[in-house]
Amino acid sequence: MPKTIVNSWNDFDPLKHIIVGRADHCCIPAMEPALEAKIDRSSDMWGMWGPRSLATVEKANEELDYFVHVLESRGIRVDRPTPLQWNQPAQTPDFSTKTLFGCMPPRDVLLTVGSEMLSAAMMMRCRYFEYLAYHPLMLKYFQEDPSFRWEQAPRPRLTDASYKLDYFTDITPEKLLQKARNLDFVTSEHEPLFDAADILRLGKDLFVQHGLTTNRRAGDWLQRHFPDHRIHMINFPDDPNSIHIDATFVPLRPGLIINNPVRRLPDSQRRIFEANDWEILDAAMPAHDRPPPLCYSSVWLSMNVLVLDQKTVCVEASEFNQTEQLDSLGFEVIPIPFRNAFSFGGGLHCATADVRREGRCEDYFPNQIPGTQIRSIS
Ligand code: DAV
């Protein structure tokens, strides 16, 4: 048997091998065209940029290391990225950026589908070189697993043509919500752009959130790239800040999903789940009324859980409502303190990227609903 096997088709089959991020050298990015999607004017990070303090990096790393320890003590193999000095400017022929970002949330960059790991075509300029932190691991998997498919989505150019540069001009929360309802997001359709964390993997079906970090052209690209899969673009019209699907719509086991109750999937888009006997439950309320300091994400990281198998799930240790809900659904809940790591780019799901889970590519949606699968746009 090869030393490494890359194989994962969903977020709930028994986990065997995973990547967990690191907080070293992480930066708050300088202003760039789409940054306001992540850091709005009311954020404590507004107007700030540069390296995060060593004290906060150390606290986040302690939590990440403890998480690794828990996973390893359950027999799961854990690999870590190799951080770059993210506090450096970078340039391409098309743009420059004053700093890079970090390698805390691998989930945003790496999409594992079966034996393939695909680096995403991310829409933030400061994240353009983030894949380099995973290059040593990709090389190792490539050497150790003869079936591993090491893939990279088309590198975006990220010129100003990729963004609607006036998107946030005179913005109000009401206008932002109206734009989201009209499927009017900060990226243009100039080139395919997506974060891997916008893609929910359910065997043969991939559900892709169309929002601030993923455009429709990416859905088109993904459909051509994965011809044996069915790509469905979905969206959550009540979410004015639709960044990544994993604090909004989270599968726990075959047939069961928790949905953020303030970002419900519209009835028309629920039909494919209903037609295949999937239950969509409201997620429990977060335990906190605000995120930790200098955090990009909302309090809904409460539901950003890591499922280890269909009976076991890791949850942030202070999220007692989410813990209680998962307990009542029959899960063994493993508490992981993670609030300090949240600020570096996300929760327990964001902080990881699958390498191997047991199981095969199942068809969980044999009853397809006409018109829900992506079609090419011209
Ligand atoms: O609710 O702020 C966070 C998702 C991070 N991957 C939110 C989405």
Side-chain angles (χ1 to χ4, degrees), residues 93-356:
D94 293 307
F95 66 84
S96 62
T97 168
K98 292 192 182 112
T99 71
L100 304 173
F101 177 79
C103 59
M104 171 3 221
R107 191 72 65 176
D108 299 3
V109 193
L110 298 174
L111 177 69
T112 309
V113 176
S115 61
E116 167 168 342
M117 294 181 86
L118 172 70
S119 301
M122 302 177 89
M123 51 78 91
M124 302 280 296
R125 290 174 175 171
C126 61
R127 305 193 73 177
Y128 192 78
F129 292 108
E130 212 163 303
Y131 73 101
L132 295 174
Y134 305 97
H135 197 268
L137 291 177
M138 297 302 118
L139 267 173
K140 187 170 148 74
Y141 302 161
F142 189 69
Q143 275 158 4
E144 293 180 354
D145 177 359
S147 302
F148 172 45
R149 288 165 49 87
W150 181 7
E151 292 276 356
Q152 166 74 66
R155 301 292 283 149
R157 293 189 68 168
L158 301 180
T159 65
D160 287 354
S162 295
Y163 309 98
K164 295 174 192 159
L165 294 175
D166 60 355
Y167 189 84
F168 294 104
T169 309
D170 299 327
I171 201 74
T172 59
E174 297 73 33
K175 282 190 200 165
L176 198 58
L177 186 60
Q178 200 49 52
K179 281 175 186 276
R181 292 201 167 137
N182 294 338
L183 296 178
D184 173 12
F185 299 110
V186 65
T187 51
S188 69
E189 292 293 343
H190 179 67
E191 58 183 345
L193 295 173
F194 67 99
D195 279 10
D198 275 317
I199 298 162
L200 166 58
R201 305 165 306 139
L202 291 172
K204 207 169 154 47
D205 293 82
L206 303 175
F207 293 88
V208 180
Q209 173 174 238
H210 178 208
L212 289 167
T213 37
T214 293
N215 63 11
R216 287 192 66 78
R217 200 164 282 271
D220 191 0
W221 185 85
L222 288 161
Q223 184 62 78
R224 293 190 213 177
H225 183 71
F226 294 115
D228 298 333
H229 282 72
R230 296 174 296 233
I231 309 288
H232 310 267
M233 295 302 272
I234 60 175
N235 69 288
F236 301 88
D238 295 332
D239 184 5
N241 282 305
S242 49
I243 296 175
H244 306 160
I245 199 165
D246 54 357
T248 297
F249 202 61
V250 173
L252 298 176
R253 58 184 177 231
L256 182 61
I257 287 184
I258 48 173
N259 186 188
N260 187 317
V262 299
R263 305 173 185 164
R264 289 210 177 96
L265 189 67
D267 287 348
S268 57
Q269 299 183 47
R270 294 170 97 94
R271 283 166 51 219
I272 184 166
F273 295 94
E274 288 159 2
N276 292 283
D277 296 326
W278 279 67
E279 191 178 3
I280 301 177
L281 291 180
D282 277 354
M285 291 304 287
H288 301 267
D289 57 11
R290 67 186 58 171
L294 305 180
C295 182
Y296 310 95
S297 309
S298 74
V299 290
W300 290 99
L301 288 181
S302 54
M303 58 185 289
N304 189 264
V305 300
L306 182 74
V307 177
L308 302 190
D309 60 48
Q310 292 173 24
K311 292 194 160 60
T312 319
V313 58
C314 295
V315 181
E316 204 290 321
S318 64
E319 294 294 345
F320 62 92
N321 294 324
Q322 193 55 74
T323 297
E324 195 178 284
Q325 180 184 38
L326 290 162
D327 184 64
S328 71
L329 290 167
F331 284 89
E332 178 200 349
V333 177
I334 307 172
I336 308 285
F338 217 61
R339 296 268 297 170
N340 292 298
F342 276 9
S343 301
F344 287 74
L348 298 162
H349 188 260
C350 308
T352 54
D354 282 30
V355 181
R356 181 156 86 94

